[in-house]
């Protein structure tokens, strides 16, 4: 049996059947439609692979036995495995064993059972699609995030995304925040930035020290009303108001005085024994920046 294309353009399946006289009977079957479907499927697969190979994200599709159905060029580059481990039919476990021997997950254990357990453990995401994405740093220094979803046929689709630029920005932001906090905490003045809805956006260590405020009470996101209520009950603003409406009214008056900052700096003695010069500045977004300058020595003189 063989296939050939006739001069008319049709594809024929030719079958030769020997006969007793020594000759043969040739049977011709028109398979043009089948051939066209095969060609269309091959073209679709070629187009699909072309698209996949030009994606910046790595894509790996595995069947329910965790054998590769397809992998694009980016995924092969991310995992850096030999071609035979990136072809359809290759075992994902074999790829993990290869990478474990190479030291991708730390020094490879000498004990065979420990080595196998390590390779098996690296298939966690493939075996549990939908779990939190995995983040790891490649040998070349790039950061890659891998996420997996289950497919309707019981397989799993794993997507690898290079987030090196994002990771660098996160590290730069963390360094900037650390520097920012260092500057704030080494200032001699106390500082607090209130949001427009009177929550703490930032503050420094000096403020908590000047007013003897518990750390759990003042932190980013804390409601300033709770802080004022604590201070009013402690007597920071004079006679302690009665619980209920009287306390709520006192809190609201203090909030309005702070959020509608105006006038000259205020000088007041804190519960911790410091004379403080308080300056408030209203910002364009409705926030209020309040600074507390320790003028105790000046006041003594």
């Amino acid at each position: 049996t063989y296939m050939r294309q006739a001069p008319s353009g049709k594809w024929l399946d030719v079958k030769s059947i020997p006969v007793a006289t020594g000759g043969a009977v040739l049977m011709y079957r028109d398979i043009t439609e089948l051939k066209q479907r095969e060609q269309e499927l091959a073209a679709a697969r070629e187009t699909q692979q072309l698209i996949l190979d030009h994606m910046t994200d790595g894509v790996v599709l595995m069947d329910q036995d965790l054998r590769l159905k397809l992998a694009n060029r980016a995924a092969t580059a991310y995992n850096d495995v030999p071609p035979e481990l990136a072809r359809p039919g290759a075992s994902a476990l074999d790829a993990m064993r290869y990478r474990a021997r190479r030291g991708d997950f730390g020094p490879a254990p000498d004990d065979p059972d420990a080595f196998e357990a390590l390779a098996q453990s690296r298939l966690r995401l493939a075996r549990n699609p939908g779990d939190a994405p995995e983040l790891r740093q490649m040998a070349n220094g790039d950061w890659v995030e891998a996420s997996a979803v289950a497919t309707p046929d019981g397989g799993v689709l794993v997507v690898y995304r290079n987030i090196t630029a994002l990771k660098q920005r996160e590290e730069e932001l963390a360094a900037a925040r650390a520097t920012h906090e260092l500057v704030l905490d080494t200032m001699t003045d106390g500082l607090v930035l209130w949001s427009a809805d009177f929550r703490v956006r930032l503050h420094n260590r000096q403020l908590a020290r000047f007013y003897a405020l518990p750390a759990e009470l003042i932190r980013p996101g804390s409601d300033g009303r709770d802080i004022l209520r604590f201070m009013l009950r402690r007597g920071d603003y004079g006679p302690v108001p009665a619980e209920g409406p009287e306390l709520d009214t006192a809190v609201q008056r203090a909030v309005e005085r702070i959020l509608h900052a105006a006038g000259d700096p205020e000088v007041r003695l804190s519960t911790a024994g410091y004379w403080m010069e308080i300056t408030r500045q209203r910002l364009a977004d409705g926030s209020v920046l309040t600074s507390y300058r320790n003028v105790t020595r000046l006041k003594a003189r």
Side-chain angles (χ1 to χ4, degrees):
T1 301
Y2 61 93
M3 288 185 295
R4 69 178 179 86
Q5 191 172 21
S8 64
K10 291 183 178 295
W11 282 92
L12 302 174
D13 178 51
V14 183
K15 186 175 183 180
S16 176
I17 305 173
V19 294
T21 59
V25 175
L26 296 179
M27 297 183 63
Y28 297 86
R29 185 164 63 96
D30 186 348
I31 59 168
T32 304
E33 187 176 347
L34 176 61
K35 194 68 175 177
Q36 286 174 342
R37 286 200 298 270
E38 286 181 352
Q39 291 171 343
E40 289 168 0
L41 180 60
R45 284 177 175 167
E46 185 178 346
T47 301
Q48 178 192 61
Q49 193 64 44
L50 181 66
I51 293 170
L52 287 171
D53 283 342
H54 283 79
M55 290 175 62
T56 55
D57 290 351
V59 177
V60 172
L61 179 62
M62 291 175 277
D63 63 20
Q64 57 188 358
D65 298 320
L66 299 187
R67 289 189 171 276
L68 264 64
K69 295 177 73 173
L70 64 85
N72 71 348
R73 191 177 300 159
T76 304
Y78 285 150
N79 293 312
D80 191 19
V81 294
E84 62 270 17
L85 293 177
R87 294 191 184 115
S91 167
L93 180 57
D94 287 344
M96 287 301 179
R97 288 176 181 140
Y98 172 87
R99 295 176 55 201
R101 289 190 193 96
R102 189 172 60 189
D104 284 16
F105 315 119
D110 294 327
D111 179 66
D113 292 337
F115 175 82
E116 186 64 16
L118 173 62
Q120 294 278 357
S121 70
R122 302 308 300 183
L123 290 173
R124 178 195 65 82
L125 195 62
R127 290 201 172 105
N128 302 280
D131 278 8
E134 288 183 351
L135 180 64
R136 62 184 176 85
Q137 191 170 23
M138 310 298 290
N140 63 0
D142 285 355
W143 285 92
V144 173
E145 181 186 70
S147 56
V149 293
T151 58
D153 61 356
V156 59
L157 177 70
V158 182
V159 177
Y160 300 89
R161 177 161 296 167
N162 190 326
I163 60 167
T164 305
L166 175 61
K167 194 71 176 174
Q168 287 174 343
R169 286 196 295 272
E170 286 179 351
E171 291 171 353
E172 290 167 1
L173 181 59
R177 282 176 176 167
T179 302
H180 179 68
E181 290 174 1
L182 178 64
V183 170
L184 284 176
D185 286 338
T186 53
M187 289 176 63
T188 56
D189 291 355
L191 196 74
V192 61
L193 178 63
W194 303 105
S195 64
D197 60 352
F198 203 58
R199 289 186 174 275
V200 176
R201 291 180 61 181
L202 64 84
H203 74 286
N204 68 351
R205 194 178 302 163
Q206 288 286 52
L207 173 67
R209 184 172 72 87
F210 287 155
Y211 283 92
L213 295 174
E216 64 274 10
L217 186 63
I218 182 164
R219 59 183 60 181
S222 296
D223 190 334
R225 293 167 182 81
D226 293 337
I227 299 170
L228 289 173
R229 193 171 284 109
F230 171 85
M231 296 174 69
L232 282 162
R233 284 172 175 154
R234 194 171 60 179
D236 287 23
Y237 294 92
V240 178
E243 292 290 332
E246 185 179 338
L247 178 61
D248 292 340
T249 300
V251 168
Q252 189 57 35
R253 278 201 301 264
V255 170
E256 290 175 0
R257 186 173 68 252
I258 294 170
L259 289 182
H260 297 85
D264 297 328
E266 172 188 352
V267 177
R268 187 158 53 83
L269 182 65
S270 76
T271 303
Y274 299 101
W275 281 96
M276 307 304 305
E277 182 184 72
I278 305 169
T279 304
R280 300 185 181 96
Q281 181 179 359
R282 188 174 178 85
L283 307 182
D285 64 354
S287 301
V288 174
L289 180 65
T290 306
S291 61
Y292 301 80
R293 182 185 173 204
N294 185 353
V295 294
T296 305
R297 291 181 181 178
L298 178 63
K299 193 72 175 176
R301 288 197 297 271

